[in-house]
Amino acid sequence: MKKKRAFSPPPGLDPDCVLAARALTKTYFQGDLHIKAVNDVYLNVKRGEFVSIVGSSGSGKSTLLHMLAGLDQPTSGRVYLGGEDIFEMDDGAFSEFRCKRIGFIFQSFNLLPVLTAKENILMPQKIAGGTHFPHYFRELTELLKIDDRLNHLPSELSGGQQQRVAAARALINKPDILFADEPTGNLDAASAKELIDLLLATRAELSQTLVMVTHDPAIAARADRVYTMTNGVISGG
Ligand SMILES: Nc1ncnc2c1ncn2[C@@H]1O[C@H](COP(=O)(O)OP(=O)(O)OP(=O)(O)O)[C@@H](O)[C@H]1O
Ligand SMILES: [Mg+2]
């Protein structure tokens, strides 16, 4: 359904604030059971910041990240990206915005099983109707050490390789803001450090904002700010 486009930044929103959540809540209803996966979350992320979100399993980190990126609808509350309420944006305008300006590395990769690694990586460009830059593609896939696996299907790749393909796909459109949900969860310590180094280098090069969920204290320690989720409630930052 088409929604009316509205410009309604929250009062007092800092113009440097590229991402904001206000009273963001997600409740799952299963029979009589109500699970408040995300409970009244407020947060502000400034342009160019690296913010990490930590918390135990089931605390609501993925649910929060999906809503912040507009991949999932909240039960209530708002998300502002670039000062605009994303859930009030016209569907077409938001799809375009998301495709061109947001990258997302999923915890479970979400690679399309019938497409090769190369086709998966290039999919966001195809959707956005963007130009294919072979040089950037080569650089990215070499840095992520997947350049010799580009014609493999996801089922022919290891978990760590799939994770790196998912990272390349998230970066291919050079997004302004990158969301990463446990991007190193399937990597050994050395590969995890390499991927984080790459994400931080890309962030510096593109003046990108990075919001990352992680279990790894060494990675969280590299963030500008760390939020902690506990039973759907956010603290710190
Ligand atoms: N589609 C759903 N239906 C019902 N409950 C859900 C659904 N998705 C998530 N939940 C519940 O919401 C809570 C938060 O889940 P979420 O996946 O956000 O946790 P998480 O912090 O990312 O955990 P992990 O570290 O294990 O990835 C959990 O209790 C989970 O069982
Ligand atoms: Mg999760």
Side-chain angles (χ1 to χ4, degrees):
M1 193 182 69
K2 284 259 173 197
K3 285 182 184 166
K4 192 162 60 67
R5 191 182 170 89
F7 293 91
S8 49
L13 185 70
D14 182 338
D16 280 351
C17 184
V18 69
L19 170 67
R22 295 289 181 269
L24 199 61
T25 298
K26 178 82 177 182
T27 310
Y28 290 112
F29 299 94
Q30 289 207 320
D32 288 342
L33 196 62
H34 292 186
I35 302 164
K36 268 206 169 166
V38 171
N39 191 354
D40 201 31
V41 162
Y42 286 73
L43 61 78
N44 294 308
V45 179
K46 285 191 178 164
R47 198 172 305 282
E49 261 194 317
F50 170 19
V51 166
S52 89
I53 302 171
V54 301
S56 56
S57 180
S59 60
K61 304 179 299 297
S62 295
T63 309
L64 173 63
L65 209 65
H66 286 206
M67 291 192 291
L68 292 177
L71 297 169
D72 197 3
Q73 286 275 343
T75 309
S76 59
R78 294 180 183 276
V79 172
Y80 299 90
L81 273 170
E84 280 198 65
D85 182 334
I86 59 171
F87 298 112
E88 293 292 335
M89 275 172 91
D90 176 276
D91 286 348
F94 183 61
S95 296
E96 194 184 332
F97 180 91
R98 190 165 62 196
C99 211
K100 290 188 175 159
R101 298 187 48 199
I102 299 178
F104 200 103
I105 307 177
F106 291 88
Q107 186 170 13
S108 51
F109 321 134
N110 280 17
L111 297 174
L112 291 167
V114 296
L115 299 185
T116 64
K118 180 174 182 174
E119 290 164 341
N120 266 287
I121 295 167
L122 293 176
M123 182 52 78
Q125 269 187 352
K126 213 171 161 184
I127 295 172
T131 318
H132 173 39
F133 295 105
H135 179 73
Y136 181 60
F137 175 82
R138 218 171 17 250
E139 190 182 297
L140 202 53
T141 52
E142 279 173 15
L143 279 168
L144 287 166
K145 299 193 177 74
I146 44 175
D147 50 314
D148 58 349
R149 292 290 186 279
L150 294 174
N151 293 320
H152 288 228
L153 294 171
S155 58
E156 299 164 346
L157 297 170
S158 73
Q161 288 165 342
Q162 290 181 54
Q163 191 143 42
R164 282 175 281 146
V165 169
R169 179 182 59 182
L171 289 171
I172 196 73
N173 279 350
K174 302 190 177 184
D176 296 337
I177 177 160
L178 178 68
F179 294 94
D181 193 353
E182 295 281 2
T184 61
N186 284 274
L187 303 179
D188 56 64
S191 309
K193 185 174 178 308
E194 275 175 17
L195 178 59
I196 296 302
D197 287 346
L198 171 75
L199 294 181
L200 294 183
T202 307
R203 169 183 163 243
E205 196 183 316
L206 303 176
S207 308
Q208 214 171 37
T209 308
L210 177 58
V211 183
M212 187 186 297
V213 167
T214 183
H215 273 118
D216 186 338
I219 296 173
R222 297 176 70 176
D224 298 318
R225 290 189 296 123
V226 182
Y227 285 105
T228 304
M229 290 288 284
T230 312
N231 291 328
V233 175
I234 205 163
S235 58

